[in-house]
Amino acid sequence: MKQRGLLFTLVVIMLLPFSSSTFGNAALSKVFVFLNVENFVGIELRMSNDSYSYIFADLGVNYVSFGLRLSSKQTQGLYISPGFYLPYKSNLNLFLSVGYDFRISGINYVTFSLEAGGKDLLDKPKSFINFAIYLPF
């Protein structure tokens, strides 16, 4: 089970950058380097059709994850994020979080994120709080 989950996650991460041509002309793929409390440091790939919601895949020091961040113009940075994550020493599992993306004037192109939620939803649910900094690559 553990190897199938890892294989599935790696396939999603490899296909994500090329999915913009599949999902339409307006789709956009971006790569970010992130620093955060949960996963320390890593790379995030994002694919979106608008500037609010997107599909993402994270490859970091502690785990690999992929999912959605759903937001809208009306929520102005607030999002809900369901997804899957695979800790390197465990099985594929689910997470659900709510977060807020923001920028600070004077710091160009850098996005900050504060999120909280639950992980290990298929086993013993645990809560988490995460602060992240995303730098475009």
Side-chain angles (χ1 to χ4, degrees):
M1 177 68 180
K2 192 173 174 181
Q3 293 159 340
R4 285 187 205 163
L6 179 60
L7 179 63
F8 180 71
T9 304
L10 292 176
V11 168
V12 168
I13 289 172
M14 289 187 306
L15 291 177
L16 193 62
F18 306 106
S19 61
S20 62
S21 61
T22 304
F23 289 112
N25 295 338
L28 180 65
S29 295
K30 294 182 180 180
V31 178
F32 292 86
V33 174
F34 68 83
L35 306 165
N36 71 24
V37 176
E38 283 280 309
N39 211 358
F40 186 57
V41 66
I43 295 175
E44 179 170 291
L45 305 171
R46 294 181 185 175
M47 196 280 300
S48 64
N49 278 333
D50 60 27
S51 60
Y52 305 107
S53 299
Y54 51 88
I55 298 170
F56 71 92
D58 288 339
L59 178 62
V61 172
N62 297 323
Y63 59 84
V64 175
S65 67
F66 57 94
L68 302 168
R69 288 198 181 111
L70 304 169
S71 186
S72 70
K73 184 178 180 178
Q74 290 77 18
T75 59
Q76 297 182 8
L78 290 172
Y79 63 83
I80 186 166
S81 180
F84 298 93
Y85 79 103
L86 179 65
Y88 295 125
K89 297 180 181 178
S90 186
N91 294 327
L92 184 67
N93 217 315
L94 297 175
F95 72 87
L96 180 65
S97 65
V98 176
Y100 179 65
D101 283 339
F102 60 95
R103 294 176 188 230
I104 298 175
S105 62
I107 303 176
N108 294 335
Y109 308 112
V110 177
T111 303
F112 298 91
S113 179
L114 182 60
E115 69 180 343
K119 59 184 179 178
D120 287 339
L121 297 181
L122 297 177
D123 294 329
K124 295 180 180 178
K126 301 174 190 169
S127 62
F128 72 92
I129 297 175
N130 192 22
F131 175 75
I133 300 170
Y134 293 95
L135 308 163
F137 184 69

